[in-house]
Amino acid sequence: MKIPLTPPSLNELMQEASAETLPQLARLKLGPLAYGHYLHWDELRHRTPPEGLNHKIWWLALRLARSVSANTLPFHDKQGEVFSYTLPEPLLKNLHEIDRGAGLVPGGEDSAALRADQGRYLISSLIEESITSSQMEGASTTRRVAEAMLREGRKPGTLSERMIFNNFEAMRRIRDICRDTLEPGHVIELQRVLTEGTLERREDCGQLRTSDDIEIVAPNNERLVLHRPPHHSELTRRLQVLCDFANATDSDDTFIHPIVRAILLHFMVGYDHPFADGNGRTGRALFYWYMAKQGYWLTEYLSISRILRKAPAQYARAYLLTETDSGDTTYFLLHQTEVILKGLSALHQYLQQKQREQAQLSAKLRALQTSEKQLNHRQTALLAHALKRPDEYFTIESHQRSHQIAYATARADLLGLAALGLLSETLHGRRKKVFYPAPDIRQKLESV
């Protein structure tokens, strides 16, 4: 990837303009968008400008339109320049769609169904985010091994497994760690949980960085340095500003949309890089915390890291567009809201698919009854999983964690399926019971 070209300075743009130019720009009524997009200079210079304008005058018009509606933030870059953002129509539209789809505004049947069975989906979501967020930072354990470790509650055996386990614990405990208000100590504790047992220098765990040898390089190109964070001596003050921003209450003249505030928490942790390692995971965890705190309960089921991992260069570029254009965080806000919307779309598709599968399987399993009752939804979910992965095994502990139920309930579920011949029971070691799908499980279900 390439670093975006820095736009011409305002002085250079004003020198390009003539006395007749500015009135002409006013008459054209050019807004902050170009071709319907919030373009950076690096993209704009390749587009055809409006008739009668060159690229620099066109960019000047956009800069003036954006500055009129810009909102300043309490954050500053390394040179002391203030960060800001605007609310162009594409961003407003994204925020509205997230409001509707992320649970703040009461949804339809999908939301009701998800709330009714949230334990099962929440644990799957936490596992997904834990794995992909850690993989973004270098964890290399296969998904199946990592998922089995988390569902069974097994202790991590490798560095990669430890990273994933830590991320799972942090996501599970984040509300307890951060409580109702955010303090610098909470952020540091969150980083400690995320990095414990994974760093070369143990002293970097649970501590602000004490050096300035940090360089953020391009994905798959360690020679291209994209960002050098602020001096370590500034971190204590900058972290306090971050916490004050998270705890601020909005008055009529200082309202910041909650999603904007959550994304900016993520952005500033990435920009400041207050820790030697774990900054990306810490920033994303704070995003989840603030969204949940503000009532966006559905975001707890999202895995934004899964989408970011598919296009890491776009994630890095969103930072670069902001840094090269006078601290305009609108680029990052647009990118992140689009990521959230993709996550919501994937979640709703997943939910609809699971509902269809559950209905189809329930129809097949309706006749399979014990002497007392039909199979419950947890048992049918396990059987659906067993049909997809016939080589996988289940334990009472993994079933308990997957559905957030009591040990006795999980035990009864598995023993009931074994009694019907759908699972085969065996011992793993001396005491631990393991249940495998019966070799003829599909035939038994098909015969229903």
Side-chain angles (χ1 to χ4, degrees):
M1 65 177 299
K2 295 181 179 179
I3 297 177
L5 189 66
T6 301
S9 67
L10 187 58
N11 288 337
E12 182 180 347
L13 295 175
M14 294 305 294
Q15 291 175 3
E16 183 81 14
S18 63
E20 295 79 18
T21 303
L22 295 180
Q24 179 187 359
L25 295 180
R27 288 193 297 271
L28 289 174
K29 297 181 179 180
L30 297 175
L33 303 179
Y35 292 98
H37 301 284
Y38 200 84
L39 296 181
H40 186 278
W41 167 255
D42 195 49
E43 301 164 297
L44 184 94
R45 64 196 180 99
H46 298 296
R47 303 291 187 102
T48 302
E51 186 176 354
L53 302 182
N54 61 32
H55 286 93
K56 288 185 177 180
I57 299 301
W58 189 20
W59 179 251
L60 174 62
L62 292 176
R63 283 292 304 274
L64 293 174
R66 293 172 183 179
S67 64
V68 169
S69 58
N71 301 277
T72 58
L73 294 165
F75 307 123
H76 295 79
D77 65 13
K78 293 177 293 184
Q79 289 73 41
E81 298 297 323
V82 69
F83 282 105
S84 64
Y85 72 96
T86 63
L87 291 168
E89 289 186 9
L91 181 55
L92 287 173
K93 181 176 180 294
N94 289 351
L95 294 173
H96 174 63
E97 291 298 324
I98 296 171
D99 277 342
R100 294 183 60 209
L104 185 65
V105 178
E109 294 181 359
D110 287 352
S111 297
L114 189 56
R115 269 200 181 279
D117 197 19
Q118 57 183 308
R120 178 154 48 102
Y121 289 107
L122 178 56
I123 196 72
S124 298
S125 174
L126 288 176
I127 289 174
E128 174 72 20
E129 176 62 19
S130 300
I131 293 172
T132 52
S133 184
S134 300
Q135 286 174 336
M136 288 181 67
E137 308 294 334
S140 57
T141 298
T142 63
R143 179 173 300 275
R144 180 171 294 190
V145 171
E147 185 175 341
M149 174 192 68
L150 294 175
R151 288 193 184 278
E152 296 170 17
R154 173 173 61 81
K155 291 184 178 180
T158 66
L159 177 61
S160 291
E161 287 185 354
R162 183 72 191 186
M163 290 175 65
I164 293 170
F165 176 83
N166 288 354
N167 209 86
F168 180 79
E169 281 297 296
M171 292 296 294
R172 192 173 60 85
R173 293 174 49 199
I174 187 168
R175 292 201 196 186
D176 294 330
I177 293 174
C178 298
R179 304 184 183 93
D180 293 329
T181 59
L182 189 67
E183 301 294 338
H186 299 151
V187 182
I188 294 172
E189 171 64 9
L190 183 60
Q191 187 266 357
R192 185 197 66 77
V193 174
L194 285 163
T195 61
E196 187 173 15
T198 66
L199 304 182
E200 292 183 8
R201 288 163 39 97
R202 292 184 179 181
E203 58 269 29
D204 290 334
C205 179
Q207 177 179 295
L208 297 177
R209 61 178 168 86
T210 57
S211 65
D212 297 311
D213 56 355
I214 301 293
E215 291 182 342
I216 292 86
V217 299
N220 304 319
N221 185 358
E222 296 185 357
R223 294 184 178 182
L224 179 60
V225 177
L226 302 180
H227 176 64
R228 292 182 176 88
H231 196 275
H232 73 275
S233 62
E234 302 178 23
L235 294 177
T236 300
R237 177 184 60 82
R238 296 177 79 93
L239 185 54
Q240 185 61 59
V241 173
L242 182 81
C243 292
D244 292 342
F245 180 74
N247 299 329
T249 55
D250 294 310
S251 60
D252 291 340
D253 58 345
T254 62
F255 174 76
I256 298 178
H257 195 288
I259 299 171
V260 170
R261 200 180 288 270
I263 293 173
L264 290 173
L265 290 174
H266 177 179
F267 172 84
M268 286 309 302
V269 173
Y271 181 86
D272 286 348
H273 248 65
F275 306 105
D277 201 352
N279 295 282
R281 284 167 283 169
T282 302
R284 289 188 290 275
L286 286 177
F287 162 82
Y288 281 111
W289 164 76
Y290 192 82
M291 289 289 282
K293 178 185 176 183
Q294 295 299 317
Y296 294 90
W297 64 272
L298 202 58
T299 57
E300 293 185 67
Y301 300 84
L302 298 181
S303 175
I304 60 174
S305 294
R306 181 176 60 85
I307 297 169
L308 293 176
R309 188 167 181 261
K310 290 181 179 179
Q314 293 180 17
Y315 180 47
R317 182 173 174 80
Y319 272 100
L320 292 173
L321 293 175
T322 291
E323 194 167 0
T324 55
D325 190 9
S326 304
D328 185 355
T329 62
T330 311
Y331 301 105
F332 192 81
L333 292 170
L334 283 165
H335 174 265
Q336 287 294 293
T337 52
E338 290 165 3
V339 166
I340 297 169
L341 287 173
K342 288 179 181 177
L344 285 170
S345 175
L347 175 62
H348 286 298
Q349 290 177 13
Y350 171 80
L351 180 59
Q352 291 168 2
Q353 176 188 344
K354 288 300 179 184
Q355 289 174 331
R356 287 194 298 268
E357 290 177 358
Q358 191 76 3
Q360 293 169 359
L361 188 60
S362 295
K364 285 184 173 293
L365 298 175
R366 198 168 289 121
L368 282 178
Q369 299 180 5
T370 64
S371 59
E372 300 178 354
K373 62 179 182 178
Q374 293 182 344
L375 298 178
N376 60 50
H377 69 90
R378 299 182 302 274
Q379 291 172 312
T380 57
L382 184 146
L383 291 174
H385 190 78
L387 288 172
K388 287 185 176 181
R389 296 182 178 179
D391 58 335
E392 195 160 317
Y393 64 87
F394 307 91
T395 66
I396 297 173
E397 292 81 5
S398 68
H399 189 62
Q400 177 187 9
R401 291 169 66 89
S402 292
H403 296 277
Q404 300 291 285
I405 54 178
Y407 181 89
T409 304
R411 181 176 181 274
D413 282 351
L414 295 180
L415 290 177
L417 292 175
L420 291 171
L422 297 171
L423 295 181
S424 299
E425 178 185 350
T426 185
L427 285 178
H428 182 71
R430 292 184 177 181
R431 297 183 179 179
K432 190 174 184 179
K433 289 185 177 182
V434 174
F435 297 81
Y436 286 92
D440 57 347
I441 182 174
R442 187 172 295 277
Q443 288 79 5
K444 287 188 176 181
L445 293 177
E446 291 294 337
S447 65
V448 174

